[in-house]
C-alpha cells in the first residue's frame, strides 16, 4: 500500500511538460527524440523506479551545491543561472564560481558504478553542454564534477572553451530546427548507444516508423 502511494507521488511529481524549445541538455540526445518531443508525439510513461533515480540525482546535486556555497576557498558568483536569451537554445548552468580570482562554469553530474569507472568520462554530451555554457557566458574555463552514486567518490574534469566546437553544435541545432519547422523526420544517428534507444520515451513510435520504412 505505502509503496503504491509513493509511486503515485513520483508519477504526479514527474508529469511531463510539453517541450517548445531546444535546451542545452538536448545536446547528445537523439535528434529524432527531440523532434518527437517538440512535435508532441506520445511518450512512454516513466517507471517510478526511474523517477526515484532522478530524484536521488537531484539530492546529490543539492549536496554538492551546498559545499560550493560553504567552502571558504570558493566564491559562488551565480547559481542556477540561465544563459542569455538567444534564438537557438535555452539552458541553466549549475554555478559560476571564482577560485583564486579565476572564473569557472561548474556542472554537477551523478553517475553509478560501473559507468563511473568508464575511461570515456567525461561523457561527450556533458562536455558539449558545458561548452555551450562557456560560449554563452563568455567564460574560458569550466569544471565538470561527477559523484559516484554508490560510493560518493568525486571526479572532476576541466574544460577550456572551444569556439569551433560550439559553432558546430549550434549549427546542428539549426539543422534540427529546420527539420522540425518543415516536418522532416531527422535520420536516426548511427552512433547511438543501445541504452539510448532502450530507455527512450519515444521508442515505440520510432520503431513503428522504422518498421514501416522496411515494408516499402
Amino acid at each position: 500500500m505505502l509503496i503504491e502511494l509513493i509511486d503515485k507521488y513520483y508519477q504526479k511529481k514527474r508529469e511531463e511538460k510539453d517541450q517548445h524549445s531546444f535546451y542545452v541538455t538536448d545536446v547528445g540526445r537523439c535528434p529524432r527524440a527531440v523532434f518527437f518531443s517538440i512535435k508532441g508525439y506520445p511518450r512512454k510513461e516513466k517507471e517510478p523506479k526511474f523517477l526515484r533515480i532522478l530524484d536521488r540525482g537531484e539530492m546529490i546535486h543539492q549536496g554538492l551545491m551546498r559545499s560550493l556555497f560553504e567552502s571558504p576557498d570558493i566564491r559562488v558568483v551565480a547559481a542556477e543561472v540561465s544563459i542569455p536569451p538567444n534564438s537557438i537554445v535555452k539552458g541553466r548552468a549549475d554555478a559560476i564560481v571564482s577560485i583564486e580570482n579565476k572564473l569557472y562554469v561548474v556542472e554537477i553530474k551523478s553517475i553509478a558504478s560501473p559507468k563511473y569507472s568508464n575511461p570515456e568520462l567525461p561523457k561527450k554530451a556533458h562536455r558539449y553542454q558545458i561548452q555551450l555554457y562557456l560560449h554563452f557566458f563568455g567564460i574560458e574555463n569550466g569544471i565538470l564534477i561527477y559523484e559516484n552514486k554508490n560510493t560518493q567518490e568525486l571526479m572532476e574534469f576541466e574544460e577550456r572553451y572551444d569556439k569551433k566546437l560550439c559553432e558546430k553544435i549550434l549549427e546542428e541545432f539549426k539543422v534540427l530546427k529546420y527539420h522540425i519547422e518543415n516536418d522532416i523526420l531527422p535520420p536516426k544517428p548511427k552512433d547511438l548507444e543501445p541504452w539510448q534507444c532502450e530507455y527512450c520515451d519515444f521508442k515505440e513510435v520510432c520503431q513503428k516508423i522504422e518498421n514501416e520504412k522496411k515494408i516499402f
Side-chain angles (χ1 to χ4, degrees):
M1 177 181 70
L2 186 58
I3 291 176
E4 291 176 354
L5 294 176
I6 291 173
D7 286 349
K8 182 179 179 181
Y9 159 78
Y10 273 100
Q11 289 286 14
K12 185 172 181 61
K13 180 182 177 183
R14 291 287 181 173
E15 287 180 354
E16 297 288 351
K17 297 179 181 179
D18 293 337
Q19 180 175 349
H20 302 290
S21 306
F22 295 138
Y23 295 95
V24 171
T25 50
D26 287 327
V27 175
R29 286 184 68 195
C30 171
R32 185 174 285 189
V34 179
F35 175 94
F36 288 142
S37 181
I38 291 180
K39 286 294 187 179
Y41 278 69
R43 65 178 71 225
K44 180 178 66 177
E45 188 175 292
K46 287 185 173 66
E47 296 180 4
K49 178 183 177 181
F50 178 77
L51 300 175
R52 290 195 294 274
I53 290 173
L54 293 179
D55 203 31
R56 183 57 56 89
E58 290 182 7
M59 293 170 62
I60 290 172
H61 177 274
Q62 291 169 6
L64 288 176
M65 284 295 294
R66 184 172 61 250
S67 69
L68 297 182
F69 276 101
E70 296 180 358
S71 171
D73 301 310
I74 302 171
R75 180 169 67 89
V76 177
V77 178
E80 302 294 336
V81 54
S82 297
I83 62 176
N86 64 89
S87 61
I88 304 175
V89 63
K90 296 180 180 180
R92 187 172 60 187
D94 290 335
I96 298 174
V97 304
S98 176
I99 303 173
E100 298 180 348
N101 295 317
K102 188 174 182 179
L103 288 178
Y104 296 86
V105 174
V106 177
E107 271 296 289
I108 297 169
K109 305 294 183 183
S110 57
I111 192 167
S113 300
K115 291 182 180 179
Y116 182 82
S117 302
N118 191 324
E120 294 182 1
L121 285 180
K123 290 187 174 182
K124 183 173 73 172
H126 297 162
R127 284 192 60 242
Y128 285 12
Q129 287 172 26
I130 201 168
Q131 281 289 336
L132 285 182
Y133 290 133
L134 296 176
H135 177 80
F136 284 107
F137 290 125
I139 296 175
E140 289 294 322
N141 301 284
I143 299 176
L144 272 167
I145 185 164
Y146 288 89
E147 177 169 324
N148 188 326
K149 292 180 181 179
N150 304 92
T151 65
Q152 286 68 60
E153 180 184 358
L154 297 178
M155 189 182 301
E156 68 177 358
F157 301 89
E158 291 194 32
E159 280 285 323
R160 287 277 297 173
Y161 173 55
D162 186 332
K163 182 179 179 180
K164 289 185 178 180
L165 174 59
C166 289
E167 290 174 346
K168 175 179 177 292
I169 296 168
L170 293 174
E171 183 60 33
E172 289 174 353
F173 270 127
K174 291 177 182 179
V175 171
L176 180 55
K177 182 179 180 181
Y178 175 83
H179 283 157
I180 291 170
E181 291 176 345
N182 292 277
D183 291 319
I184 302 171
L185 182 67
K188 188 175 179 180
K190 296 180 180 179
D191 60 348
L192 281 180
E193 297 182 36
W195 67 265
Q196 288 179 280
C197 290
E198 182 62 29
Y199 294 102
C200 180
D201 292 345
F202 304 99
K203 177 182 176 181
E204 293 182 3
V205 64
C206 185
Q207 189 60 56
K208 181 179 178 181
I209 290 173
E210 289 298 308
N211 290 339
E212 289 175 350
K213 286 167 59 178
K214 291 178 181 178
I215 293 175
F216 296 99

